Amino acid sequence: MRIVKYSHKVLIVIGVVLLVSSAGTIALAAGMNESLTFGIVSLAETAAIWGITRFFRGESEALRPPRPWWRMTELPFLSGTWALYFAIATAASIASAVTGGASSAFPAVGQLALTAIMTVSCVRLSLALRRAKRRGGSSRPPSSAGLPPLPTSI
């Protein structure tokens, strides 16, 4: 199953974040250690966001082949925008932990990992786009393989 529609992608990401955050809230209410809970929630959110992007496809991407591990979005601009967002979130988490507003800096670790993944995606997609333009190709990065897209998508 590949998810192409933007609205479906947004709903899935919101659902995953709400599910993981709710599980963390329940764990805290049950008396689990706060630092441990933040660490587990951070790790789960990072893994979930990376994992669900494996099912997302842009309109110009082939549906059949799996995305390379580093490709998080269809376009470099989108990866760069997400990298900026997660970098700001990382800075806010670190500032909150340093000033005593948060009991743990664990959320910053997950956000920093997502910043790195999105930055790698942005850089590699930009390089692929430049190579494609030099060869006289499309203004979009090449898909992950030359296989034809499957006719079914969400």
Side-chain angles (χ1 to χ4, degrees):
M1 177 174 74
R2 302 293 184 224
I3 298 142
V4 177
K5 288 187 178 178
Y6 181 75
S7 59
H8 291 163
K9 294 176 190 178
V10 169
L11 289 173
I12 289 170
V13 169
I14 289 171
V16 166
V17 169
L18 286 175
L19 182 69
V20 172
S21 299
S22 297
T25 302
I26 291 168
L28 286 173
M32 191 171 174
N33 178 295
E34 196 170 320
S35 292
L36 180 62
T37 302
F38 284 144
I40 291 170
V41 166
S42 177
L43 180 63
E45 279 185 347
T46 302
I49 289 173
W50 181 80
I52 61 175
T53 61
R54 306 299 93 211
F55 296 100
F56 292 172
R57 289 294 183 273
E59 291 178 9
S60 68
E61 284 184 90
L63 297 176
R64 186 177 297 155
R67 272 184 172 170
W69 69 268
W70 54 266
R71 189 173 187 152
M72 299 297 289
T73 64
E74 178 186 18
L75 300 171
F77 176 76
L78 296 174
S79 291
T81 303
W82 279 111
L84 179 62
Y85 166 78
F86 285 118
I88 292 168
T90 301
S93 293
I94 291 170
S96 181
V98 168
T99 60
S103 64
S104 173
F106 278 119
V109 174
Q111 292 160 347
L112 186 60
L114 288 169
T115 301
I117 291 169
M118 291 295 181
T119 301
V120 167
S121 178
C122 178
V123 169
R124 291 186 74 169
L125 284 170
S126 295
L127 292 173
L129 184 60
R130 283 187 193 147
R131 275 186 247 119
K133 282 183 178 179
R134 279 189 204 135
R135 291 185 208 136
S138 167
S139 63
R140 292 197 178 265
S143 67
S144 47
L147 299 174
L150 293 174
T152 58
S153 66
I154 292 179

